[in-house]
Amino acid sequence: MTSGNQGDKDRGFEGIDIELPFFALRMGRGPWGREMKYEDDEYRRAKRKVRARLGFYRHLATYAAIVGTLMVIDLLAGGGLGFSLWIAGIWGAFVVWQALSTFVFPSLWSREAEERMIEAELRKQRGG
């Protein structure tokens, strides 16, 4: 949630912006009077895709930092890489799964796919 001026497009806007993953609302007085804005579907879909990509990049960075640290600890302790390789392999499988679902197959199990399936089921139930 933010308020106040946030750049050229908001210059002169006085009010409040509420941004949630599924809803955005902007209420207040702008340079042209009162203003109330809802996000459209296209913007919401784009925002969801960007958040999924950023989530993957954060997950990948966390994976690299923690697994790298564990490998260094294993090497310094003189025990080899056995324990850290198990963690790297199992966690790496989850990272690969997230990469596939984010970049390769987003149309198979995304929210948009769920909405398409619901609409198709409703059409089938209605006989159309």
Side-chain angles (χ1 to χ4, degrees):
M1 182 165 44
T2 60
S3 64
N5 295 340
Q6 292 183 341
D8 293 337
K9 71 175 187 152
D10 293 333
R11 194 168 305 269
F13 175 76
E14 294 178 17
I16 189 167
D17 283 334
I18 300 172
E19 289 190 34
L20 301 172
F22 55 90
F23 176 75
L25 176 66
R26 182 176 183 189
M27 294 176 55
R29 291 189 317 202
W32 297 286
R34 295 188 182 268
E35 181 177 344
M36 191 166 167
K37 176 195 86 150
Y38 294 94
E39 287 182 355
D40 61 343
D41 286 340
E42 191 175 316
Y43 178 79
R44 234 186 348 219
R45 276 189 225 109
K47 185 189 244 185
R48 238 185 266 141
K49 288 180 181 181
V50 167
R51 284 186 175 174
R53 288 181 192 140
L54 290 174
F56 168 73
Y57 294 137
R58 282 192 292 274
H59 189 188
L60 184 63
T62 304
Y63 168 79
I66 291 176
V67 168
T69 302
L70 289 175
M71 286 183 175
V72 168
I73 290 171
D74 273 353
L75 288 173
L76 292 176
L81 292 175
F83 177 71
S84 59
L85 286 180
W86 275 100
I87 292 175
I90 293 169
W91 192 355
F94 287 108
V95 171
V96 168
W97 179 262
Q98 186 178 11
L100 290 174
S101 66
T102 301
F103 298 108
V104 180
F105 303 114
S107 61
L108 291 180
W109 47 69
S110 66
R111 287 186 182 178
E112 287 83 15
E114 180 183 5
E115 291 168 7
R116 285 192 307 269
M117 289 178 180
I118 291 170
E119 289 172 7
E121 185 63 32
L122 287 173
R123 280 193 304 272
K124 192 166 55 168
Q125 288 178 0
R126 293 177 184 148

